[in-house]
């Protein structure tokens, strides 16, 4: 049987990808951001999973207003880095895991979550920046990745409660897969940021850190937070944080081990938050 070993949570910001791709990680502005991922990269080397189930959001790269799936499961064999306006990032092709993805589709849809099956999808910074932060700049990504795109861009967005319950259906599906795979689930996006309007630039350190505390200690209660609180307290793009609840919902009920916790402001317009939680064996 497959099982979920750990969950990784991290912000994504396009400028982080650009800093890496253009060799700027040691510049004074960026050095403290990348320093926060040094422990994580070491841990990843020792704990490379067989597959990553990567929860992220697309930013009008693969989808647009023509079609807005709430939960889109990438079942393809491979996914190309998207052209987000400056050409695709120079990162490796993302290799999928079609067998596990198809199995998860079957199990989770029969468990009453109406996923959209996607057999062709380019992946944007929402997915590639977390991979770069955790793996650096390898010639190939070290394991297959199942992309799971959540709509947090166009209202209505899914509730935290729905995301948390979906995570637990994903854990059940993984545990029903008949191969002994170590699977990590990643929740990405956030933390506080607002990219437009009179409140552009909003950061809320206190709220972000309380979110991290509660994600660790009382995720189910945290999942009851209404979407309007994310928007009010963490900015319009702070709603990306509901995706972290999918990853947290996929963890065991027993308290996890906190391997690493990091928080830094700023990276572009965003507060960077990062956690690694391991299931106890
Ligand atoms: C920024 C953050 C995001 O989450 C995003 O999708 C685009 C830009 C930013 O901080 O610049
Ligand atoms: Fe984003």
């Amino acid at each position: 049987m497959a099982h979920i070993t750990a969950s990784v949570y991290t912000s994504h910001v396009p400028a982080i990808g650009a800093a890496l791709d253009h060799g700027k990680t040691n510049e004074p502005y960026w050095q403290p951001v990348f320093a926060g991922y040094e422990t994580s990269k070491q841990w990843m080397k020792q704990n490379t999973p067989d597959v990553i189930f990567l929860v992220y959001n697309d930013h009008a790269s693969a989808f647009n207003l023509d079609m807005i799936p709430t939960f889109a499961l990438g079942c393809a064999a491979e996914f190309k880095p998207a052209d987000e306006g400056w050409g695709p990032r120079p990162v490796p092709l993302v290799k999928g895991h079609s067998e596990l993805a198809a199995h998860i589709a079957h199990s989770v849809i029969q468990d009453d979550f109406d996923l959209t099956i996607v057999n062709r999808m380019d992946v944007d910074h929402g997915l590639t920046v977390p991979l770069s932060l955790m793996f650096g700049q390898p010639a190939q990504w070290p394991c297959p990745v199942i992309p799971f795109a959540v709509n947090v861009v166009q209202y209505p967005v899914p509730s935290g409660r729905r995301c948390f319950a979906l995570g637990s259906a994903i854990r059940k599906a993984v545990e029903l897969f008949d191969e002994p795979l170590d699977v990590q689930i990643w929740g990405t996006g956030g933390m506080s940021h607002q990219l437009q309007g009179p409140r552009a630039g909003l950061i809320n350190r206190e709220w972000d850190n309380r979110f991290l505390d509660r994600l660790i200690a009382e995720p189910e209660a945290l999942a009851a937070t209404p979407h309007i609180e994310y928007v009010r307290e963490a900015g319009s793009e702070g709603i990306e944080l509901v995706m972290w609840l999918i990853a947290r919902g996929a963890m065991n009920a027993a308290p996890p081990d906190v391997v690493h916790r990091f928080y830094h402001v700023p990276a572009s317009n965003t507060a960077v938050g990062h956690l690694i939680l391991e299931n106890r064996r």
Side-chain angles (χ1 to χ4, degrees), residues 9-158:
Y9 309 81
T10 179
S11 307
H12 65 228
V13 174
I16 291 179
L20 255 157
D21 300 342
H22 296 111
K24 296 185 172 173
T25 55
N26 286 323
E27 289 189 356
Y29 181 87
W30 288 112
Q31 197 278 333
V33 175
F34 291 100
Y37 290 82
E38 278 310 314
T39 318
S40 317
K41 287 197 288 186
Q42 290 310 318
W43 175 85
M44 270 308 288
K45 279 197 184 114
Q46 281 139 24
N47 295 277
T48 309
D50 297 308
V51 188
I52 296 168
F53 188 93
L54 204 157
V55 182
Y56 76 109
N57 69 292
D58 177 72
H59 302 75
S61 305
F63 304 114
N64 57 43
L65 293 181
D66 289 346
M67 191 167 27
I68 307 162
T70 302
F71 298 118
L73 176 65
C75 293
E78 55 186 44
F79 305 89
K80 280 192 304 199
D83 186 340
E84 302 181 53
W86 290 270
R89 289 189 62 215
V91 291
L93 198 70
V94 174
K95 301 277 172 65
H97 195 303
S98 302
E99 294 79 13
L100 180 59
H103 165 83
I104 290 173
H106 180 87
S107 175
V108 169
I109 291 171
Q110 288 297 318
D111 244 344
D112 304 337
F113 291 88
D114 308 318
L115 309 184
T116 300
I117 308 292
V118 184
N119 291 315
R120 191 172 65 209
M121 176 164 76
D122 290 351
V123 286
D124 72 10
H125 69 272
L127 181 133
T128 63
V129 165
L131 286 177
S132 297
L133 282 168
M134 295 301 290
F135 292 119
Q137 297 172 291
Q140 299 297 328
W141 300 123
C143 65
V145 176
I146 298 175
F148 189 75
V150 178
N151 169 44
V152 288
V153 169
Q154 179 63 36
Y155 273 77
V157 299

Side-chain angles (χ1 to χ4, degrees), residues 176-194:
L176 288 169
F177 191 65
D178 211 11
E179 265 180 59
L181 299 179
D182 284 355
V183 179
Q184 283 179 10
I185 183 162
W186 293 14
T188 67
M191 298 199 84
S192 55
H193 62 306
Q194 170 143 348

Side-chain angles (χ1 to χ4, degrees), residues 165-220:
L166 172 58
S168 114
I170 292 167
R171 174 180 67 231
K172 179 175 151 197
V174 167
E175 290 177 352
L176 288 169
F177 191 65
D178 211 11
E179 265 180 59
L181 299 179
D182 284 355
V183 179
Q184 283 179 10
I185 183 162
W186 293 14
T188 67
M191 298 199 84
S192 55
H193 62 306
Q194 170 143 348
L195 301 178
Q196 69 264 295
R199 298 202 312 161
L202 179 145
I203 297 286
N204 188 341
R205 290 168 193 260
E206 202 182 327
W207 192 90
D208 286 341
N209 278 289
R210 176 105 180 100
F211 184 93
L212 294 172
D213 293 341
R214 297 185 73 201
L215 190 76
I216 296 165
E218 46 170 30
E220 198 161 358

